[in-house]
Amino acid sequence: MRIVILGAGTVGTWIADLLCRNNHSVTVVESNPDHVRSINAELDVRAIHGSASESAILFQAGIIGCDLCLALTGDDEVNIVAASMAKAMGARRSVARVYGRVFRDLSTFDYQRHFRIDRFLSLEHLSAVEFVRAIRSPGSAVLENFARGELEVQEVICDDPAPATGKPLKEVGLPKGVRVGTIQRQGKTWIAGAGDSIQLGDHITLIGTRDEIDNVKNKFQVKASPVQSIVIAGGGETGLALARMLEGQRYHVTLMEENLDRCEFLARLLEHTTVVHADATRKAILEEERVGKTDVFVACTGDDENNIMSCVEAREIGAPECMAIVQRPDYANVVEKLGINLAVSPRNVVARQVLGLLNSGPIISKKNLPGGGIAIVEFEVMPGVKATQHVIANLKLPTHCLIAAIMSSDYVRVASADDRLTPGDTVVVLVDEEALDLVVKLFDETS
């Protein structure tokens, strides 16, 4: 594929090297001439000196007809403008890296839709999702990237007899805004179908808004899951995103932040999180906050050494699960030896996202659930395709295929049987890998 990367900082250079090693044709645009010389000397890519937001430079980089444009500079506004220009100039897909939470907050303005950008990537939000997945259970948070944060995926463990136990899902009476996504039983996971029945011991995932899911949980679970205690060190964008994903569910979340002004800001945003003004690198503070009694300790400050030290101290006073953000790849061996259960590298996380975007045809992105076999695929709905000819209930979908969510210019919602897809929509589909080709034909203009 032909890929243009705008910005050759740490992330841009890392992605350029990764894509080059995967045999893609890569062009990099960078405003720093020293970085341009370094890239041309060290990587098998074409590097151009210039501003990412200048049309002449984009034209020179071959943006017209390129398969993917990645705007990865350190400036949110430049990334948004550059990615929007790239899309308008003919790039098949355009992606912008953003840091500011305001650009992903759909409550006031939809920047992504307005500027016709295919995807916003936030290293901080993606890192938080990695932690959430590990805390909840493998695969339970996967859809949060695709549905732009407006829908949630919660796991429910069906340990006791409940109203839905033994009934086919079509008879459970779920509201339109909630779907059962997957069922896990005896180590096997599959996409839920209308004829599937819930059995004792099943782990199921519910897709919907938080309030709608909470309203139907009692159909599958009589006793509430035990509340877990989570302590987060660092109130930056990663810590904030992690707290927002966990709070109000079956977690008691405490967020420790050293900066007092930031603490006050966090306290206004987080309704169900305890915000503590404290230095999480000090063992005495961790003991005072009873971190040794917590279920999970997550260190996500902006400093690798502080994160590692906080986890070591938390482990010493009794925290059973310790996780950390670790930026530097050369720390990987050290982290394992120190007993840190999970180290999340933002660069590796965003690299996996980019690799998931390297698709042709109507597929925007594709990702596999842990364990393989089930793919989460994002499709672009084009005019005239078979997927637009009937309501979802009448589409010839393969067995164990679920259209989980629909994103249009006006809404993001869980798909229901009587919804009809329209050109311009983006849909999220759960499908067995073996049946993926059949689903692609529904969205492919050439079929």
Side-chain angles (χ1 to χ4, degrees):
M1 285 189 170
R2 290 202 301 118
I3 300 165
V4 177
I5 297 176
L6 309 177
T10 303
V11 175
T13 303
W14 172 269
I15 297 298
D17 183 37
L18 174 68
L19 294 174
C20 180
R21 285 187 274 112
N22 280 272
N23 299 316
H24 296 285
S25 174
V26 180
T27 300
V28 177
V29 174
E30 169 58 39
S31 59
N32 186 317
D34 293 332
H35 288 178
V36 172
R37 284 191 291 270
S38 175
I39 290 171
N40 278 324
E42 297 174 9
L43 302 181
D44 186 19
V45 304
R46 175 185 174 222
I48 297 172
H49 176 237
S51 170
S53 55
E54 290 185 13
S55 58
I57 297 297
L58 293 179
F59 181 81
Q60 184 183 349
I63 206 72
I64 298 175
C66 79
D67 296 291
L68 179 64
C69 173
L70 300 168
L72 304 174
T73 77
D75 189 306
D76 286 359
E77 287 79 7
V78 169
N79 289 339
I80 291 172
V81 169
S84 180
M85 290 173 61
K87 187 73 173 182
M89 292 175 70
R92 191 171 69 88
R93 306 279 186 222
S94 67
V95 176
R97 174 191 175 183
V98 294
Y99 174 81
R101 187 177 55 86
V102 63
F103 296 117
R104 292 181 291 104
D105 183 1
L106 302 180
S107 63
T108 54
F109 188 77
D110 191 339
Y111 289 87
Q112 183 178 328
R113 288 281 181 184
H114 179 79
F115 288 100
R116 298 183 63 243
I117 298 171
D118 293 292
R119 177 65 55 84
F120 277 177
L121 289 183
S122 163
L123 273 68
E124 296 72 28
H125 182 263
L126 291 173
S127 299
V129 169
E130 289 293 306
F131 287 127
V132 170
R133 180 182 295 115
I135 292 170
R136 290 182 185 167
S137 70
S140 64
V142 173
L143 288 186
E144 290 180 27
N145 284 338
F146 295 90
R148 302 171 66 192
E150 291 205 15
L151 300 179
E152 290 194 358
V153 183
Q154 293 189 29
E155 183 187 57
V156 175
I157 302 173
C158 307
D159 280 340
D160 299 294
T165 305
K167 290 183 179 180
L169 290 176
K170 61 186 176 183
E171 297 178 10
V172 171
L174 291 176
K176 289 179 64 175
V178 179
R179 297 292 297 270
V180 177
T182 60
I183 301 173
Q184 181 182 356
R185 182 182 301 156
Q186 297 178 349
K188 182 182 178 182
T189 303
W190 68 92
I191 299 166
D196 285 320
S197 298
I198 304 300
Q199 298 181 11
L200 290 180
D202 285 354
H203 291 223
I204 66 171
T205 54
L206 296 176
I207 305 169
T209 64
R210 179 177 300 184
D211 290 341
E212 289 175 318
I213 291 175
D214 288 342
N215 289 336
V216 302
K217 269 187 179 179
N218 58 4
K219 291 180 179 289
F220 303 94
Q221 187 180 58
V222 176
K223 296 179 181 177
S225 300
V227 175
Q228 283 189 288
S229 173
I230 314 292
V231 175
I232 303 169
E237 288 301 310
T238 302
L240 171 59
L242 178 56
R244 294 187 77 168
M245 289 181 208
L246 294 176
E247 68 169 358
Q249 299 178 26
R250 59 177 190 267
Y251 304 99
H252 178 271
V253 183
T254 300
L255 180 58
M256 304 173 69
E257 168 57 40
E258 190 174 8
N259 183 284
L260 181 58
D261 291 338
R262 181 68 177 177
C263 280
E264 294 173 351
F265 171 76
L266 293 169
R268 290 194 297 269
L269 287 180
L270 299 168
E271 296 182 17
H272 307 289
T273 296
T274 302
V275 180
V276 179
H277 178 220
D279 180 1
T281 61
R282 297 176 56 190
K283 186 175 182 179
I285 297 295
L286 296 179
E287 290 175 332
E288 183 179 328
E289 297 301 326
R290 300 174 61 83
V291 168
K293 302 294 184 181
T294 194
D295 293 295
V296 183
F297 177 80
V298 184
C300 49
T301 72
D303 185 277
D304 282 359
E305 288 77 10
N306 284 345
N307 290 338
I308 293 171
M309 285 302 300
S310 295
C311 282
V312 170
E313 300 285 14
R315 172 71 78 183
E316 284 192 359
I317 63 176
E321 292 281 330
C322 296
M323 307 176 184
I325 289 283
V326 180
Q327 305 264 6
R328 290 178 53 174
D330 53 337
Y331 280 176
N333 292 332
V334 175
V335 166
E336 291 180 8
K337 294 175 182 177
L338 293 175
I340 296 174
N341 301 90
L342 174 67
V344 172
S345 165
R347 289 193 301 180
N348 289 341
V349 171
V350 78
R352 288 197 294 273
Q353 289 291 317
V354 169
L355 291 176
L357 293 167
L358 302 179
N359 302 286
S360 58
I363 297 179
I364 298 174
S365 63
K366 176 177 174 289
K367 189 171 184 178
N368 282 65
L369 283 171
I374 299 176
I376 313 285
V377 187
E378 207 172 10
F379 286 99
E380 180 180 13
V381 181
M382 305 299 292
V385 299
K386 294 178 181 177
T388 62
Q389 294 174 2
H390 305 281
V391 296
I392 291 176
N394 294 333
L395 294 178
K396 294 181 179 179
L397 296 170
T399 305
H400 292 310
C401 170
L402 173 67
I403 296 181
I406 303 173
M407 292 168 278
S408 77
S409 57
D410 301 319
Y411 57 79
V412 177
R413 71 181 182 208
V414 172
S416 63
D418 56 355
D419 280 327
R420 187 165 187 154
L421 304 180
T422 58
D425 288 348
T426 300
V427 297
V428 179
V429 180
L430 281 73
V431 61
D432 286 340
E433 281 277 12
E434 295 178 356
L436 180 57
D437 289 343
L438 295 175
V439 180
V440 170
K441 289 180 180 179
L442 293 174
F443 294 91
D444 197 336
E445 293 175 289
T446 61
S447 297

